[in-house]
Amino acid sequence: MQLNYPLPTESAAVIEPVLSGEEILYCLPYDLTASGQFTEGFLVITKTRLAVINGGEIERVVPVNSLDGICCGELNSSGMLEANPTGDPFPIVFFTMEHMARYSMAERIITDLIDGVQPRAVSTDDEKKCPNCGRPFIRNTRICRHCSDRMGVLKRIWKVSRPCWGYYALLLLIFWANSGFMLYSPYVSKRLIDEVLTKFGAGSELLPHLLWLVALTGLCSLATTIIGALREIVSAKASNLFVRDLRNDIYKKVQSMPLGYIEEKNAGDLMHRINGDTGRIQQFIQNVAVQAINEICLFIGVAIVVVSFNPMMALLILIPIPIALFLINRISSSVRRRYHKQWRWMDKLTDALNNVFNGIKVVKVFGQEEREVKHFESVASSVRDITCKTEQYVYTVFPIIRFLIGFGSYFVTMYGGALVLGKQMELGELMQFSTYAGYLYSRLEWFSMLPRHISQAITSAQRVFEVMDEDVPPVPTAPLSADGIEGYVDFNNVTFGYKSYKSVLKNIDLNVQKGEMIGLVGHSGAGKSTMINLLMRLYKADEGEIKLDGNSLEDYSISDYKNNLGVVLQESYLFSGSILNNIRYARPDASDDECIRAAKIANAHEFIINLPDGYDTYVGEKGQRLSGGERQRIAIARAVLSDPKIMILDEATASVDTETEQQIQEALGRIIKGRTTFAIAHRLSTLKNANRLVVLEEGRVAEVGSHNELMEKDGIYAGLVRAQRTMTALSVAIDDGGGRGGPGGRGPGRGGPPPR
Ligand code: ADP
């Protein structure tokens, strides 16, 4: 988020003497007055003061040490930054909701300054509008079409395609040969006309010459055909090599990204970049960039030949060219705009599809197919309308330009015809020049479409390069090996938020002994899964650190660490493939026997061997051919395969029926022995084996202790247990009264034994 906007020159000049050399740490825009009028002002934050500046006038300067607190509050559809909220409050600035997140961040920054701590908020450029020109970025990107360095992008495509340079050199040779034959063919035709076909009545003495010239024409045609085929083969090889490398690189990069980044970009967008955008660049290289060399070679060749043979004729051919270039230049920006609009709508169409297919179950469950079809139809109709309009424009304007360009050939025929009639030029020579004129004009026509292709390729390349340029957190230089770890885990004053301005976990302190089982408890949204996410190293703590055996978790080699971590989540994901391969996913080098042993520990062996294909059973996409409980037991087998020192169980039995739950609980009870375990369970009864229960409330550790201790304390945990007992009693009453609940019931407290 951008937190340090440049001050307008006038305001910068006014504020400078007030700050007396102090550095501006942050500068935030605000856009409302106290009476709700729109305005344009800035809040400047330095280490010791806040200054409010508007239209070149300083409205207020507040020393930081005069504040006892700061609060970013929400008003009616707007926000306010208020000083001293608990003492003698006064407003600092007002703003629209557009700046809410920014001022939530300002609250943290100023609180840090009041506490004498260096603020950690970093100003980054993740705005939706370009800071240079104020135009919106391309959707889901930080690319401004208007300000981006288009030439730089093309140069980068060139650099990235380095492995294909050899092919390009070969292509250049092919093009030269091709241009040579294309230039030579009209000359052969000229000779055919002038030396044979117009020698009426010459009889059979010219037959050998005729044969020779026809053979030469045939040879030229054969040569251009062979060269054409060669050109296609080589350019396809080059572009496929290029796109394979590019796709691998971008995929590797996405895999190395933190989870937060991948979640931020939606899956469809990333897939589109890895597949669609790289494909567009490939098409550009194969069909446009390579062809452009051909066209340029031919254009220059024809121009040289025409000028050197007959300058007057050349002049006539070239007359319409400047006019055509002028027109093309005028029209291309409008064409570009239309195509960009079209692509934006195509993106929306892809998003719509992606959204629906990801949630197809929900669509079906709620019977919303018709609504989704209507929504899709409306987006598809917009795409159709915009595409039709664009194509209509392109196919009206370009034929007109083509006609204007072709005008030169009428001059050539007129002038050349007069020369032929006056016997100053041979008919064949005129035909030769007409063919050359045709060459030149079709090249120009091709060039007129070039801006569109380039623009398309540049946009795609920018989207690809944007991912490639994302910063990946550095891997520790000397990572510790996690082999032989004991499993002592410490959360030391850990604070974390998915959004940097909103903490989800606050100052978590927790010491966990090796082999201890910790049950994480709390209301929904308290931060239990977030704690586990940090432990799984899916995110990094903003403040404080997690230690493993006394060393920072971050210092361990990530792959080593993951080998020592067993995870069973509520909905275990299975990859399409066999059961055996799914178990082996945790440790690809595990033998079949080891996988089977793991399956036995996970109570999965029995059901697997009863399947027709046993361990080779194909589980289907996302494991859909198996029941929830079966999937879960395979996930447990996968988790224990690498004999991890730390186990994470996040609602591992939440989505299964009572009978299966018992089998899974039994398996879990077996596998957590001797391993440090963190378990989250909605049904508190399932945490009965926990050595300690940690109760989280709004991101803080509220209570720690055993079940009995916490019940005695009669705090949050006792309240949760009571609520669940009531639910269970209700559920039993409904069942006894002929309710529809059965063993498959999944409501809270249903199924398992009541909480102790
Ligand atoms: P619990 O597991 O206790 O139910 P979570 O740790 O899942 O709670 O969530 C804590 C808070 O973090 C919630 O307010 C939730 O909305 C938010 N949250 C969880 N995951 C994300 C995410 N990936 N991005 C942004 N916010 C998230």
Side-chain angles (χ1 to χ4, degrees):
M1 182 184 313
Q2 193 168 354
L3 296 170
N4 203 354
Y5 280 76
L7 270 178
T9 330
E10 189 187 9
S11 300
V14 176
I15 198 85
E16 211 181 285
V18 176
L19 300 182
S20 42
E22 222 186 345
E23 185 194 357
I24 296 178
L25 299 178
Y26 305 94
C27 177
L28 284 76
Y30 69 91
D31 50 5
L32 287 180
T33 63
S35 57
Q37 306 294 316
F38 282 109
T39 186
E40 278 182 24
F42 289 89
L43 170 69
V44 170
I45 304 174
T46 70
K47 201 169 171 191
T48 62
R49 56 198 124 189
L50 314 179
V52 180
I53 184 159
N54 194 322
E57 273 182 36
I58 294 174
E59 295 202 333
R60 180 195 284 267
V61 177
V62 184
V64 169
N65 61 12
S66 72
L67 298 172
D68 58 25
I70 192 96
C71 172
C72 166
E74 204 175 318
L75 304 171
N76 198 4
S77 318
S78 61
M80 170 176 71
L81 189 69
E82 189 182 43
N84 301 341
T86 52
D88 187 9
F90 61 91
I92 302 215
V93 289
F94 296 86
F95 44 85
T96 56
M97 294 309 278
E98 184 193 341
H99 296 297
M100 194 58 172
R102 226 183 300 283
Y103 277 94
S104 303
M105 201 74 171
E107 179 189 302
R108 281 186 68 182
I109 291 168
I110 300 168
T111 306
D112 279 348
L113 289 173
I114 295 171
D115 294 346
V117 178
Q118 177 73 25
R120 287 161 302 265
V122 179
S123 174
T124 53
D125 215 2
D126 61 350
E127 305 293 303
K128 297 221 167 2
K129 286 183 187 159
C130 168
N132 281 343
C133 66
R135 290 181 173 89
F137 285 133
I138 298 176
R139 229 155 68 87
N140 296 332
T141 73
R142 291 198 298 272
I143 303 164
C144 172
R145 281 198 181 95
H146 193 251
C147 303
S148 54
D149 173 13
R150 301 166 68 79
M151 206 54 214
V153 176
L154 284 177
K155 274 190 201 155
R156 189 159 169 198
I157 295 180
W158 170 243
K159 263 196 207 153
V160 173
S161 67
R162 180 187 285 266
C164 313
W165 285 2
Y167 284 117
Y168 295 159
L170 184 60
L171 277 171
L172 210 58
L173 291 179
I174 293 174
F175 288 141
W176 281 337
N178 187 49
S179 302
F181 279 108
M182 282 186 76
L183 285 173
Y184 188 62
S185 296
Y187 173 69
V188 178
S189 303
K190 168 205 170 296
R191 287 186 57 193
L192 191 64
I193 295 168
D194 292 345
E195 294 171 19
V196 182
L197 299 181
T198 50
K199 303 289 179 212
F200 307 112
S204 56
E205 86 195 55
L206 281 181
L207 272 182
H209 197 45
L210 173 66
L211 186 65
W212 159 241
L213 286 173
V214 169
L216 209 53
T217 311
L219 279 177
C220 283
S221 172
L222 181 68
T224 45
T225 308
I226 292 172
I227 287 172
L230 214 59
R231 184 188 66 190
E232 293 302 327
I233 293 168
V234 176
S235 67
K237 272 199 170 176
S239 68
N240 278 300
L241 175 67
F242 170 79
V243 82
R244 185 205 61 187
D245 289 353
L246 194 63
R247 276 190 186 139
N248 284 349
D249 288 351
I250 181 171
Y251 182 66
K252 223 188 284 170
K253 183 78 187 206
V254 170
Q255 285 286 0
S256 67
M257 296 289 197
L259 187 65
Y261 173 88
I262 299 176
E263 281 177 341
E264 215 172 90
K265 310 256 164 222
N266 68 50
D269 178 66
L270 285 174
M271 273 157 63
H272 194 235
R273 292 183 198 221
I274 295 172
N275 237 345
D277 285 321
T278 50
R280 270 190 194 168
I281 304 173
Q282 179 192 20
Q283 288 302 320
F284 173 74
I285 292 185
Q286 186 167 339
N287 300 331
V288 183
V290 167
Q291 178 78 8
I293 306 172
N294 188 27
E295 303 299 318
I296 292 169
C297 288
L298 201 59
F299 190 87
I300 295 172
V302 174
I304 291 172
V305 170
V306 169
V307 171
S308 56
F309 275 86
N310 191 331
M312 185 58 198
M313 202 72 130
L315 190 67
L316 288 173
I317 292 174
L318 298 176
I319 278 176
I321 290 180
I323 306 167
L325 287 179
F326 172 75
L327 286 176
I328 289 168
N329 188 32
R330 290 298 296 267
I331 287 163
S332 57
S333 64
S334 146
V335 172
R336 218 173 28 235
R337 263 200 316 279
R338 284 161 198 270
Y339 275 115
H340 280 152
K341 197 169 172 191
Q342 191 179 318
W343 298 334
R344 271 205 303 279
W345 275 96
M346 292 295 288
D347 280 352
K348 279 189 194 171
L349 195 71
T350 315
D351 280 359
L353 279 178
N354 186 39
N355 216 3
V356 167
F357 286 137
N358 277 337
I360 193 71
K361 227 175 182 171
V362 180
V363 174
K364 296 267 178 209
V365 166
F366 286 93
Q368 293 296 324
E369 294 92 335
E370 213 168 291
R371 180 173 132 181
E372 291 304 336
V373 167
K374 273 195 188 133
H375 174 63
F376 185 78
E377 270 174 4
S378 98
V379 181
S381 301
S382 301
V383 171
R384 178 204 57 203
D385 293 346
I386 287 162
T387 311
C388 282
K389 274 190 192 158
T390 309
E391 299 301 327
Q392 210 171 314
Y393 180 77
V394 168
Y395 290 112
T396 312
V397 165
F398 281 95
I400 296 175
I401 294 183
R402 215 172 295 147
F403 174 76
L404 290 176
I405 294 174
F407 229 79
S409 62
Y410 301 125
F411 296 140
V412 171
T413 315
M414 193 59 216
Y415 175 71
L419 291 182
V420 172
L421 289 178
K423 291 207 184 270
Q424 288 161 285
M425 184 184 260
E426 299 282 352
L427 180 62
E429 205 176 334
L430 174 61
M431 299 309 286
Q432 183 187 1
F433 273 100
S434 292
T435 312
Y436 286 153
Y439 279 0
L440 278 183
Y441 299 146
S442 52
R443 260 46 297 148
L444 270 185
E445 248 178 78
W446 190 87
F447 284 126
S448 69
M449 299 301 276
L450 200 56
R452 166 189 162 184
H453 296 306
I454 292 182
S455 173
Q456 213 167 359
I458 284 180
T459 306
S460 290
Q462 280 173 320
R463 284 165 52 83
V464 169
F465 293 150
E466 193 187 39
V467 178
M468 308 271 266
D469 293 343
E470 274 299 324
D471 287 337
V472 177
V475 179
T477 44
L480 297 171
S481 165
D483 287 344
I485 59 159
E486 303 264 2
Y488 293 95
V489 177
D490 291 335
F491 281 77
N492 282 350
N493 202 18
V494 169
T495 295
F496 168 78
Y498 294 96
K499 302 276 176 241
S500 48
Y501 54 85
K502 190 174 169 221
S503 295
V504 170
L505 294 180
K506 296 155 199 154
N507 308 100
I508 301 282
D509 272 315
L510 184 66
N511 258 296
V512 182
Q513 296 303 309
K514 88 175 196 193
E516 196 179 5
M517 177 179 175
I518 297 291
L520 292 173
V521 182
H523 292 107
S524 177
K528 305 178 292 288
S529 299
T530 305
M531 237 176 119
I532 273 174
N533 286 345
L534 292 188
L535 198 57
M536 289 193 283
R537 286 177 71 175
L538 298 181
Y539 303 91
K540 193 171 173 295
D542 296 332
E543 289 165 40
E545 65 179 349
I546 303 176
K547 289 191 164 182
L548 176 62
D549 290 359
N551 300 306
S552 170
L553 198 58
E554 299 296 319
D555 289 342
Y556 286 96
S557 130
I558 188 107
S559 57
D560 257 18
Y561 175 63
K562 296 282 162 95
N563 284 341
N564 275 285
L565 193 68
V567 181
V568 186
L569 303 174
Q570 178 175 0
E571 287 286 342
S572 290
Y573 188 93
L574 299 189
F575 295 95
S576 51
S578 70
I579 289 182
L580 195 64
N581 282 342
N582 265 290
I583 296 176
R584 197 178 269 141
Y585 189 78
R587 230 189 79 208
D589 62 341
S591 67
D592 290 0
D593 282 348
E594 284 173 308
C595 293
I596 292 169
R597 209 174 310 134
K600 282 181 180 162
I601 296 173
N603 272 350
H605 183 69
E606 286 302 316
F607 93 79
I608 296 174
I609 53 169
N610 280 326
L611 293 169
D613 291 327
Y615 279 85
D616 292 328
T617 304
Y618 177 69
V619 299
E621 200 177 329
K622 297 185 193 169
Q624 63 196 359
R625 294 194 188 169
L626 301 177
S627 74
E630 289 167 345
R631 280 202 295 270
Q632 212 56 343
R633 278 175 280 169
I634 291 178
I636 295 172
R638 183 161 71 185
V640 293
L641 185 64
S642 49
D643 191 18
K645 286 287 185 300
I646 299 171
M647 280 300 298
I648 288 178
L649 313 174
D650 189 353
E651 301 277 13
T653 55
S655 330
V656 295
D657 57 67
T658 318
E659 200 183 322
T660 316
E661 185 190 353
Q662 275 168 5
Q663 291 182 5
I664 295 178
Q665 281 299 346
E666 192 188 294
L668 289 177
R670 212 175 297 146
I671 65 169
I672 62 171
K673 278 206 185 88
R675 306 180 210 268
T676 310
T677 304
F678 291 81
I680 300 176
H682 189 75
R683 280 173 247 181
L684 301 173
S685 59
T686 57
L687 297 178
K688 58 176 179 272
N689 295 327
N691 300 95
R692 275 188 298 162
L693 298 165
V694 174
V695 184
L696 291 180
E697 179 76 348
E698 292 184 359
R700 293 183 194 277
V701 175
E703 296 169 6
V704 181
S706 67
H707 168 79
N708 289 339
E709 284 164 1
L710 295 182
M711 287 308 284
E712 220 166 90
K713 195 174 174 196
D714 198 15
I716 300 167
Y717 177 75
L720 286 169
V721 171
R722 271 197 298 273
Q724 236 172 56
R725 278 181 182 153
T726 313
M727 286 294 291
T728 311
L730 265 175
S731 164
V732 169
I734 290 168
D735 284 352
D736 288 350
R740 272 174 292 160
R746 287 178 190 181
R750 200 177 265 203
R756 293 167 298 167

